[in-house]
Amino acid sequence: MTSLDKPTEETSADDARAVTEAALFEAFGGVRGMVETVVPGLLFVTIYTINKDLHLSAIAALAVSLVLVVVRLVTKDTVKHAFSGVFGVAFGVVFAMMTGNAKDFYLPGMLYTLGLGLAYIVTTLCGVPLIGLILGPVFKENLSWRTRNPGRKKAYAKASYAWGAILLAKCAILFPLYWWADTTQLGWVLVALKIPPFLLAVWLTWVFLAKAPAPIDVFAEMEAEEKAAEEREREAAARPAE
């Protein structure tokens, strides 16, 4: 293993934790991202609880999702989390309108949660933890953790298993309710389960990564290699011809 293959140890433990917190905040949208995921579903179930009007509830949820995107665009903020919310709400609206069953507004999101939970488990079993694929670019390490940073790969595996277990546990609660509970019961439980499981998964990810070796900044390595190559070229050009 060359010197470039070894994770740097210059960053203090506090700095590493701060970097991890910032990366997680960026990757998962922070407080604003959480609000944007909760508001449409909360509005839907509130309106439906009051008047049992599927169309009004669906249109209101979709409208508020679009407003959140517009606000992001106006403030020139990143729109990926808001756009993902719009697509999720739009699929829910289409499902509910097609079937006439208000509970189907929640079905696409539930299926997505189930698929994502399985993806976390399966990718980890295959040696490519999904959370590493998500956070690698954020930490500027890309996929270097797979072969050059085994301690970090282990942390990503633990975090991915945690995400998978939490999401599948959430599904184990929601899917029986989809079949046995009414729309308002399912909706309020789903809203209640939006943020706490997410915060638990993010916290566990932070715990695992804060104790892991520092990420290898592959971008800094490439810049260093380019500078070294340029320096060698200058030295070769300045060397008198033999």
Side-chain angles (χ1 to χ4, degrees):
M1 182 182 289
T2 66
S3 59
L4 288 178
D5 291 328
K6 298 178 181 178
T8 60
E9 298 180 356
E10 296 177 358
T11 306
S12 66
D14 290 341
D15 289 340
R17 292 189 182 94
V19 169
T20 300
E21 290 173 3
L24 290 174
F25 192 89
E26 176 184 344
F28 298 114
V31 175
R32 186 173 182 178
M34 287 188 289
V35 170
E36 290 172 344
T37 62
V38 171
V39 169
L42 179 60
L43 185 61
F44 178 91
V45 71
T46 300
I47 295 176
Y48 192 82
T49 299
I50 294 171
N51 59 21
K52 299 295 190 276
D53 188 328
L54 169 59
H55 291 79
L56 178 60
S57 302
I59 292 171
L62 184 59
V64 75
S65 298
L66 292 172
V67 168
L68 292 173
V69 171
V70 171
V71 171
R72 288 269 190 175
L73 292 172
V74 170
T75 58
K76 298 181 179 180
D77 201 350
T78 177
V79 297
K80 62 180 179 180
H81 300 290
F83 266 128
S84 64
V86 168
F87 288 128
V89 172
F91 277 115
V93 168
V94 170
F95 267 63
M97 294 295 189
M98 288 177 60
T99 65
N101 184 352
K103 283 196 290 187
D104 287 340
F105 173 79
Y106 304 109
L107 187 57
M110 292 166 57
L111 293 173
Y112 173 77
T113 299
L114 176 61
L116 186 60
L118 292 173
Y120 276 114
I121 301 298
V122 171
T123 55
T124 305
L125 291 174
C126 293
V128 193
L130 180 58
I131 198 69
L133 299 178
I134 295 172
L135 294 180
V138 178
F139 283 110
K140 300 180 181 180
E141 60 182 335
N142 286 349
L143 295 178
S144 62
W145 50 268
R146 286 197 64 201
T147 55
R148 299 170 56 193
N149 204 340
R152 197 158 182 85
K153 180 180 180 180
K154 185 177 180 180
Y156 280 139
K158 291 180 179 179
S160 288
Y161 278 131
W163 276 91
I166 290 170
L167 293 179
L168 293 179
K170 181 177 175 180
C171 289
I173 297 172
L174 293 178
F175 276 96
L177 288 176
Y178 174 80
W179 294 109
W180 300 327
D182 61 31
T183 301
T184 56
Q185 290 172 334
L186 173 62
W188 286 113
V189 171
L190 196 147
V191 168
L193 290 179
K194 273 285 186 179
I195 293 181
F198 172 80
L199 291 179
L200 176 60
V202 171
W203 178 74
L204 289 173
T205 303
W206 177 83
V207 169
F208 294 137
L209 292 182
K211 297 178 180 179
I216 301 171
D217 190 336
V218 295
F219 296 105
E221 287 184 351
M222 288 189 290
E223 290 177 359
E225 285 291 340
E226 289 176 0
K227 290 180 180 178
E230 291 174 358
E231 184 63 27
R232 288 193 295 270
E233 289 177 1
R234 284 196 296 267
E235 293 177 354
R239 190 179 303 125
E242 295 180 358

